[in-house]
Amino acid sequence: MTIRVGESASAPSFQKAALPLLEDAQLRKNVRHATDVIQRKRGVVVAETPDWQELRTAASAIKAHTMRHLDHYLTQFEKACTAAGGQVHWAADADDANRIIVGLVKRYGGNEVIKVKTMTSEEVGLNDASEREGIRPHETDLAEVIVQLGGDKSSHIVAPAVHKNRSQVRQIFRERMNLPDLSDDPEELTAAARRYLREKFLRVKIGVCGANFLVAETGSVCIVESEGNGRMCLTMPEALISIAGIEKTIPAFQDMEVFLQLLPRSATGERMNPYNSLWTGVRRGDGPQHFHVVLLDNGRTRILADPESRQTLHCIRCGACLNTCPVYRQTGGHAYGSSYSGPIGAIVTPQLLQMQHGQSLPFASSLCGACYDVCPVKINIPEVLIHLRGRVVREQKSALDPEALAMKTAAAIFASRARFEAAQRLGRIAQWPFQSNGWMRNLPGMLGNWTRVRDLRALPQQTFREWWKARAKAGNTAATRKNNHG
Amino acid sequence: MADARDAILERIRTGLRDVAPTDIAAEYAAIPRTYIRAGQLDLQARLHQLKERLRDYDTNVVETDAVSLPRTIAEVLRSHEQKNVIAADGLPEEILPLNFPFISERNASVDTLNACDGIVTACSVAIAFTGTIVLTHGPGEGARRLTLVPDRHLCIVRAEQVVETVPEAIDRLAPFATHPLTFISGPSATADIEMTRIRGVHGPRFLDVVLVQ
Ligand code: SF4
C-alpha cells in the first residue's frame, strides 16, 4: 500500500519551508487580510447563534459515535446508495482511488472532467494521475481555477487562493485566458471566470466532486458551496464521480441539521452558504444518470486505530482553525507541504503518512489552543499535537537525522503524560514550550525570523501568549472570546 | 475491488478493538441534542426575519397575497424586462399571470435555459433563521438544472412554508430525504478574490422571492 498526501512525502520540514515564506511580505499580507475578514464574519454569525456550544457538543458526539461504528455506517451507506442506483467503490490508498476514477472516466469515453473543489482529490493527486492518462481535469471553483491556471498550489482548505491578491489574479487570468485588457476589479475577474467556465459546464460529460457528508441512512451525498460551480458539476454531466474519505460519514439525515448550521458559519462566516446540494444515487430525468462514490482509506484506518488521536477524523474541513492559528497566519499554507495545512494539517498529515513523513508538523504550533476554541466539532487539536509529538520522538528511527536528535532531547519530557495533562489543566500549555530547554529551538528560531518582518517588531518583548491575547483584544471577534471555554 | 472493501472494513474493525460491543441505535439515540430545535417566533416575526435575512444576502423580496400573486409575478418579471421566461412543470396554472407567454420546462433544452431571461418555481420550505429556501425538485420546483443555468430565479414562497429553525426545516424535509435537495441562500456568490463578496458566479445572478400570505 502506498499512502500519499499530495507531495508531502518529499516536502521539506515545516521549519525549512516556512523561512522563505516569512520573507514574502506580499503573501503574508494577503493571508492576514483574508483570514482577518473570515474571522470577523465568523464572529458575527457565531455570536448570533445562541446554541452554538450545544451544536458543537452534538456534532462532536455524532462524529465520535460514527467513528466508533464506522464499519456499520459505511456498509449502511453502501447499501442505501447502491439501492438508489449509485455504485460504491473502495480505495485502499491514493493509487487505488486514481486507478478507479481514471478507469471510470475512460469507461464513459471522456478525455476531460469538470471538478468541484475537493481536498481529497488533491490528497491523492488525482489531477496529475488524470493528466498522465490523457484526461484533462478542469477545476471550477474560482480559487482552484486561480491555483490551477497559475501552476500553483492550494494554501487553504476552504479558500485555496488566499495567498493571491487581485493584481496577481489578474496577471494569471490575462495570460491564461488570453484577456490582455482585464482589470483587477474582483467583479470583472469573477465575470471572466464565469465566461471561461460556462462553456465547459455545458459541454463536458463527466463531473468529479468530493463530499462534505455521506448520509449512511439514506445513501445521500452532500456538497456545500457558494459559486454554483458545484451544482453545475453535480447536475449537468452525464456521469458523476465522488471521492470521499471514509470519515465523511454521518449516521442520519437528521444530523444534517447540526452540520448545516456549524459548517457555513465556521468556514465562510455565512449563516448558510449560497448552495447546499444533497442527492441520492441517480434520479431519472434529473442530473447525471451514472453515479459513483469512491470511499477512500489512504491511512485513515490507522488514525482510527489510535484512540488518542481518533478525533482527528471528526474534522469537517471548515478551515476555522487555520484562520485563527497564529502560526498559519504568519506562514500561510505552503509551509505545511501538504494538501492540509494549519492546525488540522499539522495533525492529519503525519498520521495519514504513518508518522513516516511530516514529522516536523506537530511542532508547527505554539499550543495556544485557539484552534480548539473555534473548532465546530470540538477536536482538541493541542491534545492531539502533544500526543503526536510523543509519537514522533518514540518512533523516530534515524538517529542521524538532525531533527530527530533535537527531538530526542525532549523524550524525557514527553515520557510523563501526567505532567502534560497537569500543565494543560493549569492553562499553562501555551507558554510551556517556550520555557523548556531547547527542544523547541526550531520555533523560537522561526520567531527570530518573524521579528525581522516589519509588523512584528514588538514580538520579542512579549511572550507568545501575551502577544496573542493583545492581538485578540485589538482585532479579534466576540466569538473567539465567547468560545474560549471550548 | 472486493478485496479493498474487505481489507478496509477489516482494518476498521481491528482499529476499533477498544470499543466495547454496544447497541448502536441506543448509543445514537443518547447523543445529546440540547441545541434549539423548535423556534420561538410567531408568524409575523418569522416572516420578518426571513425577509431581513434574504435581503441581507442580496435577494430581492416582494410581498403579496394569494389573490394578487399572478399580477405580482408579472410585475416582477416586467420590472426586469424579462421576456423569455420558463415556468417549472407542475406549477398550478392559476398562480401564473395569464397574459404572460411562459415557456414550459419540458420544452426547454439546455440552450434554451442558457439563453432565457429567467425562470419561475415554487419551493418546499424556507428557513427564517438562515434566509434559505429549499427545493425538493418535485412538481412546481423544476429539475435541478432549471434553477441553475438561467440568470434570474423567481421563487414563490408561501407563508405556511416558512419555518424558523434549521431543525424544523429538516423535520419537514424528512419525507423528501432521498429527493435531490437544493438549499439556496441568496444568489451564487464568491469571496475568493481578497474576500470581496461578488454576487453571481455560476448559478443565477439574481434571486427574486415572492412571499405570499
Ligand atoms: S479541525 Fe476543526 S476547525 Fe479545523 S478544519 Fe477541521 S473542523 Fe474545522
Side-chain angles (χ1 to χ4, degrees), chain A residues 270-337:
Chain A
E270 292 169 301
R271 297 190 182 104
M272 197 67 96
N273 44 284
Y275 297 134
N276 303 324
S277 296
L278 271 115
W279 73 97
T280 309
V282 168
R283 168 101 156 170
R284 188 175 296 222
D286 186 352
Q289 297 300 296
H290 306 280
F291 174 56
H292 298 262
V293 180
V294 179
L295 297 174
L296 177 74
D297 180 350
N298 202 36
R300 286 160 174 78
T301 48
R302 301 287 182 129
I303 304 182
L304 192 72
D306 181 350
E308 295 193 61
S309 58
R310 188 173 289 155
Q311 56 177 319
T312 307
L313 296 173
H314 299 183
C315 175
I316 56 173
R317 306 278 187 262
C318 73
C321 59
L322 281 64
N323 304 332
T324 195
C325 176
V327 176
Y328 176 91
R329 287 167 52 83
Q330 296 303 324
T331 63
H334 291 153
Y336 296 77

Side-chain angles (χ1 to χ4, degrees), chain A residues 75-217:
Chain A
T75 48
Q76 192 186 7
F77 172 82
E78 179 187 41
K79 204 169 154 202
C81 178
T82 309
Q87 284 185 53
V88 176
H89 309 257
W90 302 70
D93 61 17
D95 289 340
D96 245 10
N98 290 336
R99 199 172 49 242
I100 293 167
I101 296 171
V102 165
L104 288 168
V105 174
K106 287 185 172 171
R107 192 209 293 179
Y108 293 115
N111 54 11
E112 45 186 344
V113 296
I114 43 176
K115 291 183 69 199
V116 191
K117 173 174 162 291
T118 137
M119 293 313 298
T120 316
S121 123
E122 212 168 290
E123 173 188 328
V124 301
L126 178 62
N127 285 3
D128 286 344
S130 304
E131 278 166 6
R132 277 197 299 273
E133 296 284 331
I135 296 163
R136 269 189 74 186
H138 301 287
E139 294 292 349
T140 65
D141 172 79
L142 180 55
E144 291 282 16
V145 171
I146 295 168
V147 167
Q148 189 180 35
L149 293 184
D152 197 357
K153 285 196 178 349
S154 149
S155 74
H156 189 288
I157 57 176
V158 171
V162 276
H163 58 290
K164 294 280 189 221
N165 68 10
R166 61 182 75 189
S167 66
Q168 294 167 311
V169 174
R170 169 177 64 174
Q171 201 50 40
I172 295 167
F173 282 13
R174 274 183 170 178
E175 285 167 19
R176 299 301 308 277
M177 293 181 186
N178 198 13
L179 297 168
D181 301 327
L182 200 61
S183 85
D184 68 356
D185 173 19
E187 194 122 10
E188 206 183 303
L189 294 168
T190 305
R194 178 181 163 100
R195 285 190 304 273
Y196 172 78
L197 288 169
R198 177 131 304 215
E199 173 273 329
K200 296 181 174 56
F201 288 138
L202 302 186
R203 176 175 55 80
V204 178
K205 300 285 178 246
I206 302 168
V208 171
C209 65
N212 288 104
F213 305 102
L214 306 172
V215 186
E217 173 191 36

Side-chain angles (χ1 to χ4, degrees), chain A residues 343-362:
Chain A
I344 183 60
I347 62 173
V348 85
T349 306
Q351 291 189 82
L352 287 175
L353 296 169
Q354 297 163 62
M355 313 306 283
Q356 298 302 303
H357 299 282
Q359 300 102 324
S360 62
L361 292 176

Side-chain angles (χ1 to χ4, degrees), chain A residues 78 166 194 255 257, chain B residues 5 33 35 37 194 201:
Chain A
E78 179 187 41
R166 61 182 75 189
R194 178 181 163 100
D255 300 320
E257 72 192 23
Chain B
R5 178 185 190 275
R33 293 184 192 264
Y35 53 84
R37 293 206 87 258
E194 293 185 15
V201 195

Side-chain angles (χ1 to χ4, degrees), chain A residues 214-232:
Chain A
L214 306 172
V215 186
E217 173 191 36
T218 53
S220 316
V221 181
C222 176
I223 293 266
V224 168
E225 52 126 1
S226 296
E227 297 171 10
N229 66 306
R231 291 183 65 199
M232 286 285 183

